[in-house]
Amino acid sequence: GFICGGSGSGTPYLYKTIDGGNNWSLVTGVSFGNTLWGDIEVINEDTLWLVDRDALSGGVFRSVNAGINWARIYFGGGSVQPEKIYMLNSRTGFMSTSFRTYKTTNGGFNWQESDVKGFKDIHFADSLTGWKAYNASNQDSNMQKTTNGGINWYRQQLPVGGNISIFSNMGNFE
């Protein structure tokens, strides 16, 4: 497994475990981006994706050799830098900026807008059916569902009643 983050003082970190999280080792030589590594997606032990939302040095980065070398394959600049990433496989996936969801079908080299709302979390059951949660600023549902691989997203009604409640800042929890 892998985890990423930053110290807040200009030093990003990437750690790896090979024993289920009992011990972690620093992946050295990672020299891109800033301290804003927001998310990591691990496809397999070699293929990793990182997103960095820094306006100058951020973007989507990919490694195909377990984090030893990295290539920036997307740079949005300014306020369109990615904050989250989710890859179904090595070619198809989604990234989120502050306000939009984008989809790639060619390994991250091109991204097309998939929805006008970004996401805080996203998961697909298969290549067509997925759900995403985002920050809602009102009592509107902050969950959406797709049944066509992210081409269209529909409001997902969440259950209410008993011990379940929906409140306006629900999306602030990760």
Side-chain angles (χ1 to χ4, degrees), residues 144-162:
Q144 289 183 318
K145 180 179 180 179
T146 183
T147 56
N148 58 8
I151 296 170
N152 302 103
W153 293 91
Y154 304 96
R155 180 177 178 200
Q156 178 71 50
Q157 186 64 43
L158 298 175
V160 178

Side-chain angles (χ1 to χ4, degrees), residues 37 59 86 110 134 148:
W37 292 354
Y86 177 83
N110 299 101
Y134 57 93
N148 58 8

Side-chain angles (χ1 to χ4, degrees), residues 101-130:
T101 296
Y102 296 88
K103 181 180 181 180
T104 184
T105 57
N106 65 356
F109 292 103
N110 299 101
W111 296 87
Q112 301 296 320
E113 186 175 302
S114 173
D115 190 37
V116 296
K117 294 179 176 141
F119 60 84
K120 288 291 185 181
D121 198 9
I122 189 171
H123 180 76
F124 275 73
D126 55 43
S127 64
L128 296 175
T129 307

Side-chain angles (χ1 to χ4, degrees), residues 48-79:
L48 315 172
W49 298 74
L50 274 173
V51 293
D52 182 339
R53 68 181 186 267
D54 184 74
L56 299 175
S57 61
V60 175
F61 298 85
R62 184 180 64 194
S63 174
V64 292
N65 59 4
I68 296 169
N69 301 105
W70 292 86
R72 180 166 61 181
I73 59 174
Y74 172 82
F75 176 73
S79 65

Side-chain angles (χ1 to χ4, degrees), residues 16-39:
K16 178 181 180 177
T17 182
I18 57 172
D19 62 4
N22 292 318
N23 297 289
W24 293 88
S25 60
L26 181 65
V27 177
T28 59
V30 180
S31 59
F32 65 86
N34 205 330
T35 62
L36 304 172
W37 292 354
D39 204 8

